[in-house]
């Protein structure tokens, strides 16, 4: 048993879990926590707006296994609910720490600044978008509460919330030695399901392995690569699971997005006799608006806490244990199946024949020639995301399910902090950039050098193509390149494919933020978005 200040214990535990940087905005109720964090050797990246705190910490979490946002009470915490909701929806292990009013005030009416209704209003709101919550108002239970929230975040890969009254931050707590985290063993359900899966694989002639985001969230990528290479099975990823399997690996054949993705990939997947899905929760976005053709009798699903083989369900299964058990049993098999990889002609995104206007196809083609393993790609939503699906990259993050605008630029910051050996390349539409793009100043302050490509068509392009041209889809025209220069970076305008190629060369040489204002016609979108809006646009227009 030892005595330690409450905040020191919390930040010490975060360091043990691999966190070296938090993201936040200081405010009066959280100032003692900022001082404690500095005392404990953790660095804070101070953003310009709380939604960006959540986006940046989410991106960091996706790449490092745990991300932390540190905000004040009320005006700070409640201002980032949307970005925490994104992390919850997309299973990102994010911890929000909020300061709050002193415990002595809580027996009185909530009439302090930043209060909304009751002192526990913010706590109750966060309970809707987090998997675990704790108000640390009792030194006797603080350690247990902290450990419960952290354990829940790591086991569920979903956000947690810790609120610390200002007078509790430096209160001493008595800590007990922590019991080691229990590791779930091979339950009868796991062994039964693994046996059935192996028999199905042995009977298969044309299988495919579908890899989803949970593989990345639970750090199973290496195990899945080993599994794929052991069987020589072709691999696809979902939209949210893009880069959960290395796209440079010989077994990778493409991204699957129902009827809206690559035609060759779709035809192979939908003609497979066994579809082994590990880690992809088959939501509307993951299945291309439920256009994916994945018959239950051919589908094996292994996701967090559940496995399904055809019409048979296994509940309460730990994903990591399951994957390790499946891999271990396959290694013991004497007559292990080895499959043939298909020869699929990848959809070729050709640049425009004309040099008059820069087109989305030009951006895709040139980025595929530009990208190396030295980059981490962070994409916002809209056509930049659908263009991003056509890129070949081993590290790609995007809000592909919850689809919140504004993710791209702050996520690029979080990603580059999480993987400082890589340079962030951000894909962002002009509408999303106008929400959070000025976080460029945060990157400049930190001496970072992301490359930011603004898909500039001066309109909410996806909405326009789903619906029709309307005045309220038009965007104000900003001088994006000048904004980059105003915050200490470089910026250029690219109106043709030649200018875009030159801009990429200059961006590669630059050691500062480099923004490319990629001006594209309002009539031009990516092949994937063309297919999607052709399908859903007709339905939307019919309902208006």
């Amino acid at each position: 048993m030892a005595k330690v200040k409450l905040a020191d214990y919390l930040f010490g535990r975060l360091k043990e879990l691999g966190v070296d940087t938090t993201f936040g905005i200081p405010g009066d109720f959280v100032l003692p926590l900022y001082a404690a964090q500095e005392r404990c050797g953790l660095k804070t990246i101070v953003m310009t707006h709380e939604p960006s705190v959540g986006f940046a910490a989410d991106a960091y979490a996706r790449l490092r296994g745990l991300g932390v946002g540190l905000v004040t009470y009320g005006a700070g915490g409640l201002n980032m609910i949307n970005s925490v909701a994104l992390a919850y929806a997309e299973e990102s292990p994010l911890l929000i720490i909020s300061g709050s009013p002193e415990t002595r005030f809580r027996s009185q009416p909530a009439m302090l600044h930043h209060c909304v209704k009751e002192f526990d209003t913010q706590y109750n709101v966060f309970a809707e978008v987090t998997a675990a919550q704790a108000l640390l108002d009792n030194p006797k239970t603080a350690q247990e509460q902290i450990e419960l929230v952290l354990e829940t975040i790591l086991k569920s890969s979903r956000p947690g919330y810790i609120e610390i009254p200002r007078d509790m931050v430096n209160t001493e707590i008595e800590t007990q030695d922590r019991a080691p985290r229990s590791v779930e063993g091979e339950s009868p359900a796991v062994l039964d399901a693994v046996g059935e899966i192996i028999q199905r694989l042995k009977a298969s002639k044309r299988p495919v392995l579908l890899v989803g985001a949970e593989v990345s969230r639970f750090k199973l990528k290496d195990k899945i690569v080993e599994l794929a290479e052991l069987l020589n099975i072709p691999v696809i990823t979902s939209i949210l699971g893009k880069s959960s399997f290395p796209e440079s690996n010989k077994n990778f054949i493409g991204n699957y997005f129902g009827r809206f993705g690559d035609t060759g990939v779709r035809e192979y997947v939908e003609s497979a006799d066994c579809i082994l899905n590990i880690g992809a929760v088959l939501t509307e976005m993951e299945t291309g608006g439920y256009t994916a053709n994945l018959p239950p009798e051919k589908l094996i699903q292994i996701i967090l806490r559940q496995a399904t083989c055809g019409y048979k369900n296994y509940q309460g299964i730990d994903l990591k244990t399951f994957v390790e058990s499946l891999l271990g049993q396959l290694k013991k098999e004497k007559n292990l199946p080895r499959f043939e990889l298909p020869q699929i002609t990848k959809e070729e995104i050709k640049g425009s024949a004309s040099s008059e206007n820069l087109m989305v196809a030009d951006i895709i083609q040139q980025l595929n020639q530009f990208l190396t393993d030295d980059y981490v790609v962070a994409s916002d939503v809209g056509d930049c995301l659908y263009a991003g699906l056509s890129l070949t990259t081993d590290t790609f993050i995007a809000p592909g399910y919850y689809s919140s605008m504004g993710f791209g630029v702050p996520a690029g910051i979080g990603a580059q902090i999480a993987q400082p050996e890589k340079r962030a390349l951000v894909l962002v539409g002009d509408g999303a950039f106008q929400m959070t793009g000025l976080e460029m100043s945060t990157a400049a302050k930190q001496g970072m050098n992301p490359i930011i490509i603004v898909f500039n068509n001066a309109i909410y392009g996806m909405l326009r193509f789903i619906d029709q041209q309307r005045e309220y889809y038009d965007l104000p025209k900003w001088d994006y390149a000048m904004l980059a220069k105003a915050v200490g970076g470089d910026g250029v305008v690219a109106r043709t494919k030649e200018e875009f190629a030159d801009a990429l060369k200059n961006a590669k040489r630059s050691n500062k933020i480099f923004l490319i204002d990629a001006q594209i016609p309002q009539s031009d979108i990516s092949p994937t978005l063309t297919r999607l809006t052709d399908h859903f646009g007709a339905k939307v227009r019919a309902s208006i």
Side-chain angles (χ1 to χ4, degrees):
M1 184 178 295
K3 286 190 175 182
V4 62
K5 292 180 179 179
L6 187 155
D8 291 12
Y9 179 81
L10 173 59
F11 291 126
R13 287 289 290 121
L14 294 177
K15 289 177 71 174
E16 288 177 11
L17 293 170
V19 175
D20 59 12
T21 305
T22 68
F23 302 84
I25 296 178
D28 53 356
F29 286 115
V30 77
L31 291 181
L33 280 165
Y34 269 80
Q37 175 187 238
E38 186 175 36
R39 180 174 69 236
C40 294
L42 280 174
K43 178 183 178 182
T44 295
I45 304 297
V46 177
M47 311 295 286
T48 69
H49 204 203
E50 280 87 6
S52 296
V53 171
F55 293 142
D58 179 350
Y60 181 99
R62 295 183 191 213
L63 296 172
R64 292 284 286 265
L66 180 63
V68 179
L70 189 56
V71 293
T72 195
Y73 180 75
L78 295 177
N79 202 23
M80 62 183 305
I81 291 297
N82 177 63
S83 50
V84 179
L86 163 64
Y88 187 94
E90 300 199 357
E91 297 180 293
S92 183
L94 172 65
L95 171 64
I96 302 304
I97 303 173
S98 174
S100 66
E102 287 82 348
T103 55
R104 68 177 183 274
F105 293 132
R106 290 179 178 259
S107 61
Q108 306 170 16
M111 299 183 69
L112 294 176
H113 66 288
H114 292 341
C115 288
V116 179
K117 185 178 179 182
E118 306 292 343
F119 282 114
D120 58 359
T121 296
Q122 176 170 302
Y123 181 97
N124 293 337
V125 170
F126 268 96
E128 292 296 320
V129 293
T130 57
Q133 312 80 37
L135 169 63
L136 305 186
D137 59 353
N138 184 342
K140 294 182 178 179
T141 60
Q143 181 189 19
E144 181 181 358
Q145 288 178 286
I146 289 170
E147 292 302 326
L148 179 59
V149 171
L150 293 177
E151 181 179 1
T152 303
I153 293 171
L154 297 176
K155 288 186 71 172
S156 68
S157 192
R158 281 202 157 107
Y161 173 74
I162 292 178
E163 184 175 314
I164 307 178
R166 204 160 35 180
D167 56 351
M168 288 293 297
V169 172
N170 292 312
T171 297
E172 286 194 338
I173 62 174
E174 290 188 349
T175 61
Q176 306 285 339
D177 291 338
R178 299 190 311 276
R181 289 182 63 192
S182 60
V183 178
E184 296 190 33
E186 293 180 318
S187 67
V190 168
L191 294 174
D192 190 17
V194 164
E196 184 169 344
I197 290 170
I198 291 175
Q199 292 308 309
R200 285 188 173 229
L201 287 171
K202 283 185 172 183
S204 175
K205 301 297 183 185
R206 188 182 170 94
V208 67
L209 172 59
L210 168 59
V211 178
E214 289 184 345
V215 167
S216 291
R217 301 294 189 268
F218 293 97
K219 305 302 178 187
L220 294 171
K221 183 184 285 190
D222 290 345
K223 298 287 185 184
I224 297 302
V225 169
E226 187 178 0
L227 174 66
E229 293 179 346
L230 184 67
L231 296 171
N232 199 41
I233 190 171
V235 179
I236 57 170
T237 55
S238 64
I239 181 173
L240 192 59
K242 182 174 171 64
S243 81
S244 292
F245 188 89
E247 297 189 357
S248 56
N249 187 284
K250 67 179 179 64
N251 292 76
F252 178 74
I253 62 171
N255 305 118
Y256 179 64
F257 191 42
R259 72 168 63 178
F260 309 119
D262 185 295
T263 302
V265 173
R266 174 173 61 84
E267 290 175 351
Y268 183 84
V269 171
E270 296 181 358
S271 64
D273 60 6
C274 179
I275 303 162
L276 175 57
N277 166 19
I278 301 181
V281 180
L282 299 180
T283 63
E284 169 230 15
M285 284 296 291
E286 292 283 71
T287 57
Y290 299 122
T291 65
N293 183 12
L294 305 172
E297 63 272 13
K298 296 181 180 180
L299 182 63
I300 300 168
Q301 295 191 76
I302 307 169
I303 56 176
L304 185 64
R305 314 308 300 173
Q306 180 181 348
T308 304
C309 298
Y311 297 99
K312 190 173 183 180
N313 292 313
Y314 301 86
Q315 299 293 328
I317 288 174
D318 176 69
L319 180 64
K320 184 174 184 293
T321 301
F322 195 101
V323 169
E324 290 174 346
S325 179
L326 176 60
L327 184 58
Q329 291 299 319
L330 282 170
K331 288 179 178 179
K332 296 176 184 177
E333 288 293 317
K334 294 181 179 179
N335 299 311
L336 189 68
R338 290 276 297 174
F339 303 104
E340 291 187 10
L341 299 178
Q343 297 298 315
I344 295 177
T345 301
K346 185 177 180 181
E347 180 181 30
E348 187 177 0
I349 309 295
K350 294 182 179 180
S352 57
S354 169
S355 61
E356 184 177 348
N357 292 312
L358 176 66
M359 312 295 277
V360 175
D362 297 318
I363 296 174
I364 296 170
Q365 182 185 45
Q366 293 191 32
L367 283 177
N368 272 327
Q369 296 169 358
F370 176 82
L371 283 170
T372 65
D373 194 42
D374 297 324
Y375 293 91
V376 50
V377 180
S379 178
D380 219 290
V381 298
D383 201 20
C384 60
L385 171 58
Y386 297 115
L389 293 180
S390 298
L391 300 181
T392 300
T393 174
D394 283 348
T395 313
F396 183 91
I397 55 174
Y401 168 46
Y402 186 75
S403 298
S404 177
M405 294 174 67
F407 180 81
V409 174
I413 292 171
Q416 194 163 329
I417 293 294
Q419 295 187 338
E421 72 280 7
K422 295 181 183 288
R423 187 177 186 184
L425 187 139
V426 176
L427 309 177
V428 58
D430 45 357
F433 185 91
Q434 290 185 11
M435 293 182 177
T436 58
L438 287 178
E439 288 294 350
M440 289 188 301
S441 64
T442 302
K445 179 182 177 183
Q446 298 298 324
M448 298 170 63
N449 63 343
I451 298 172
I452 301 169
I453 299 174
V454 180
F455 286 57
N456 179 9
N457 57 8
I459 197 170
Y460 287 127
M462 187 168 174
L463 298 179
R464 184 253 193 191
F465 277 89
I466 290 176
D467 182 13
Q468 57 182 281
Q469 176 60 47
R470 297 184 187 272
E471 181 181 351
Y472 45 79
Y473 295 153
D474 293 338
L475 291 168
K477 294 183 178 180
W478 289 14
D479 189 336
Y480 299 106
M482 188 60 70
L483 283 172
K485 294 176 181 177
V487 300
D490 291 326
V492 298
V493 175
R495 299 182 181 87
T496 67
K497 60 183 180 182
E498 288 79 9
E499 289 178 351
F500 188 76
D502 288 340
L504 284 177
K505 291 176 184 176
N506 291 328
K508 187 173 184 177
R509 289 191 290 262
S510 175
N511 61 1
K512 298 191 291 186
I513 300 165
F514 198 99
L515 183 145
I516 302 174
D517 179 356
Q519 298 189 2
I520 53 180
Q522 290 188 353
S523 59
D524 182 51
I525 52 177
S526 67
T528 300
L529 186 55
T530 298
R531 291 188 286 262
L532 190 145
T533 54
D534 284 349
H535 177 79
F536 288 106
K539 293 184 177 181
V540 171
R541 289 188 289 271
S543 67
I544 294 177

